[in-house]
Amino acid sequence: MPNRLANETSPYLRQHAANPVNWHPWGEEALRLSREQDKPILLSVGYSACHWCHVMAHESFEDEEVAAIMNRHFINIKVDREERPDLDQIYQTAQYMLTQRSGGWPLTMFLTPEQKPFFGGTYFPKEPRYGLPGFGGLLERIAQFYREHRDEIGKQNESLLAALERTLPGKSQQTQEPGAEPLQRLLAQLQNSFDEVHGGFGDAPKFPHPAEIEFCLRRSTSGDGTALHLACFTLEKMAKGGIYDQLGGGFCRYSVDQYWAIPHFEKMLYDNGPLLRLYADAWLANRNPLFKTVAEETAAWVMREMQSPEGGYYSTLDADSEHKEGKFYVWTREEIASLLNAEEYAVAAPHYGLDRAPNFEGEFWHLNVYKSLDEVAKTLSISIEEAQHRLDSARQKLFAAREKRVHPGRDEKILTSWNGLMIKGMAHAARVFGHEDWLASAQRACDFVRNTLWRDRRLLATYKDGRAHLNAYLDDYAFMLDALLELMQAQFRKADLDFANDLASVMLEQFEDREPGGFFFTSHDHEKLIHRPKAGHDNATPSGNGIAIFALQRLGHLLGEPRYLEAAERALKLFYPEVSSRPSGYTTIVIALEEFLTPPQIITLRGENNHLTEWQRELQRDYLPHALVLALPENLAGLPQSLDRKAAGPVNAWVCQGVKCLPPIDNLQQLKQACKTGAAV
């Protein structure tokens, strides 16, 4: 019987459509077959850019022998974790509870027909190695265990479901009034885990941790030079490392070493959106020209490779090309020497470490910045301008040559939540650097989401090939709401404010757990699963609850809407005991806590267009993370009462913070001074 994945929207599922495994997508048909045939479910969760997912597919899922065992004993379900993060969250947590080992992808779980897990792991090789059993033999043993130990499985299921229930916040916790202690504690923890030599937090593998960098940048506005160093030193080291694509822009997922040198080569939209925003903010904070270059190159990469003709942003670029990880990105020294002239090579070789030993698999070079251009120029006795000219020419030639290679696969599904992260990044960088094309890109993506994935006052989670589907999750609503608040600051559009209001209202109606507070990951009318998560901690993406709190507070202050402020406060108080005891896992909520304790400044500019633009650009010269600035042309109609003010001169500014508002300001320098007084606690 052929498997059923060919018509799915997920490129990851389609990659397995020709497998001899009788795969099903998650759905009632597969679940019904499991119940009727009394077969356990083999649940395999992965995503298209996942290297070890490809390895397990080639070894086992494409193998006739292994597939025969799978088909004989199991109902086999393949899930794209990017389309079904609800399932991934539940079964990653269950995997950890069952094995006491961290999860990952591919996730391989064995479930009863009632969807309850009884055994799991991640990657399993076809033959025994790495201390892991061979997959075929493991399948036979699990099938036998399922047949012979039902009572034991049933008791384990009861314990597991009870343990999952205990993961919900608010269980046996004392209510605490939120205070500033987690802010100081988090900064101390980040200082303690900071790598003074290479930047970043912790050891290998080393991840960017955008929320932690943002937190440090925000704390630096209170005059904390240490916090600024933690953020900017990390961003500088990343920008010079191999985690950053030195030729094409954009960041890979993480570095396998502590030096940021060799990445896991997949590029994810959800990393690059926040990082683009951070490099723009770091440039505002210390004017390092490297940060501006990184922002420009990353934004160019987004528009060149990650934006669909329809407007939405694609999801990922694969780590592999031609079945080899990193092949697209790495070089031999001879190849580079053949492409460059002697003068270009004399600069590029020491700059990128080509005069050192190979840094990838013992025979290739992955480009890192090893020597600054200043050092190279001095060694060659040339001007820095000449060195820059040669390097620019070399990079153009190498990029052009690389473009002729077989490119990594691109996952072209458009995810609402990840689009929210990139829309915010592009819009923010656009207003910092004054790039109208970046802003237009962000607006196109936003309009695509609104026109294609917003139906009957509900969001859908994913789109590909003309088909939008799947009930959206908390992250979809929260990330898009947050993006709209950023987009309105870059250029105010009434439609964006209306969309933001709609998203916030649905989030309260469909996701809030009103009495204890907080937001479930799935809506009230979502498919019933064995558990309904309500998490506050950050993962690879920021916490949905954290972004919801942050965005609802800002929208609530902007509109004077108590519903939003009260829901944000309920959520914050629910998670506060966890945040207080372990702030390093809850950085996004700590940032929201900062704005709860000291509300953001809401700055409304109103007046004639030419003067309005001048004032807006002047404010954008400063790093003002604790302010939300809207420039509203005088002729705008239909504004809510809180924003509908009339200018008495060419431009007036209204500055409000919490329940306090200053008198209208008609002097730009006076406004800039007022902004500086609105720092956080």
Side-chain angles (χ1 to χ4, degrees), residues 4-5 8 13 23-27 29-30 76-79:
R4 296 158 174 79
L5 303 183
E8 290 298 305
L13 267 56
W23 289 117
H24 298 258
W26 182 277
E29 180 189 8
N76 303 291
I77 298 180
K78 178 60 76 173
V79 164

Side-chain angles (χ1 to χ4, degrees), residues 29 33 55 76 83 132 167 196 264 273 295 303 422 542 614 664:
E29 180 189 8
L33 286 173
V55 173
N76 303 291
E83 285 196 340
L132 294 168
T167 65
E196 293 281 358
H264 188 38
M303 292 190 291
M422 184 52 76
E614 178 193 347

Side-chain angles (χ1 to χ4, degrees), residues 281-293:
D281 277 342
W283 181 80
L284 286 174
N286 77 352
R287 290 303 196 270
N288 184 337
L290 174 62
F291 297 161
K292 183 177 184 181
T293 298

Side-chain angles (χ1 to χ4, degrees), residues 171-197:
K171 302 293 181 183
S172 305
Q173 291 180 346
Q174 296 295 317
T175 302
Q176 301 176 38
E177 197 60 33
E181 295 81 5
L183 279 69
Q184 285 88 42
R185 195 173 298 134
L186 175 56
L187 187 57
Q189 289 176 347
L190 292 175
Q191 286 178 262
N192 188 52
S193 65
F194 181 65
D195 184 338
E196 293 281 358
V197 178

Side-chain angles (χ1 to χ4, degrees), residues 340-621:
L340 308 183
N341 64 38
E343 291 183 335
E344 293 163 346
Y345 188 83
V347 171
H351 184 63
Y352 288 130
L354 302 173
D355 54 355
R356 299 168 178 243
N359 62 5
F360 187 72
E361 296 183 346
E363 57 180 317
F364 299 104
W365 279 260
H366 178 54
L367 302 185
N368 285 239
V369 175
Y370 286 98
K371 276 191 179 176
S372 72
L373 219 48
D374 281 347
E375 291 178 274
V376 174
K378 286 175 185 173
T379 302
L380 296 175
S381 300
I382 60 175
S383 68
I384 184 67
E385 291 79 14
E386 174 62 21
Q388 186 67 62
H389 172 73
R390 294 187 193 180
L391 182 65
D392 289 344
S393 178
R395 291 177 73 241
Q396 289 170 11
K397 289 181 179 179
L398 294 175
F399 179 77
R402 197 180 76 174
E403 283 294 282
K404 297 175 183 176
R405 296 177 177 177
V406 175
H407 282 240
R410 180 171 62 191
D411 188 323
E412 295 187 353
K413 67 176 178 292
I414 295 169
L415 297 168
T416 301
S417 59
W418 296 9
N419 269 254
L421 294 173
M422 184 52 76
I423 291 165
K424 181 174 182 178
M426 288 292 283
H428 186 73
R431 71 183 175 96
V432 168
F433 296 113
H435 273 270
E436 293 184 5
D437 53 337
W438 302 358
L439 175 58
S441 170
Q443 289 175 332
R444 283 183 63 217
C446 177
D447 294 345
F448 175 84
V449 171
R450 180 166 41 223
N451 296 332
T452 309
L453 289 148
W454 174 247
R455 295 183 185 171
D456 302 320
R457 291 194 76 253
R458 298 294 294 276
L459 277 176
L460 297 171
T462 184
Y463 170 91
K464 190 174 186 300
D465 297 335
R467 182 183 170 203
H469 70 129
L470 296 179
N471 197 16
Y473 310 99
L474 173 63
D475 290 3
D476 298 295
Y477 286 87
F479 295 177
M480 275 305 302
L481 173 58
D482 193 37
L484 287 160
L485 290 169
E486 186 62 53
L487 203 55
M488 286 189 284
Q489 294 184 78
Q491 183 182 72
F492 184 83
R493 301 189 301 178
K494 177 66 166 45
D496 292 339
L497 180 60
D498 293 341
F499 193 22
N501 220 344
D502 286 340
L503 292 179
S505 294
V506 176
M507 198 156 63
L508 265 59
E509 293 164 9
Q510 285 292 332
F511 292 86
E512 191 185 13
D513 191 8
R514 186 177 173 84
E515 190 173 333
F519 297 89
F520 288 110
F521 186 70
T522 54
S523 61
H524 297 326
D525 58 0
H526 196 76
E527 169 191 359
K528 186 170 174 56
L529 302 171
I530 63 166
H531 178 61
R532 193 179 180 197
K534 186 170 55 167
H537 54 78
D538 295 318
N539 289 303
T541 53
S543 158
N545 266 285
I547 296 295
I549 297 166
F550 181 86
L552 284 170
Q553 285 179 160
R554 288 202 153 200
L555 186 63
H557 287 301
L558 179 67
L559 299 179
E561 177 52 76
R563 284 190 309 139
Y564 301 155
L565 295 171
E566 290 163 3
E569 184 174 353
R570 284 191 293 270
L572 183 65
K573 288 183 174 178
L574 175 77
F575 289 107
Y576 185 75
E578 294 179 24
V579 172
S580 184
S581 62
R582 292 189 295 120
S584 61
Y586 295 83
T587 304
T588 302
I589 294 185
V590 175
I591 292 171
L593 169 65
E594 182 187 59
E595 292 213 345
F596 172 79
L597 297 172
T598 304
Q601 288 183 319
I602 305 298
I603 301 169
T604 307
L605 307 177
R606 196 82 193 262
E608 300 167 4
N609 276 356
N610 54 339
H611 294 288
L612 204 58
T613 301
E614 178 193 347
W615 281 45
Q616 189 178 22
R617 285 178 180 166
E618 190 63 31
L619 287 183
Q620 287 166 359
R621 296 178 189 274

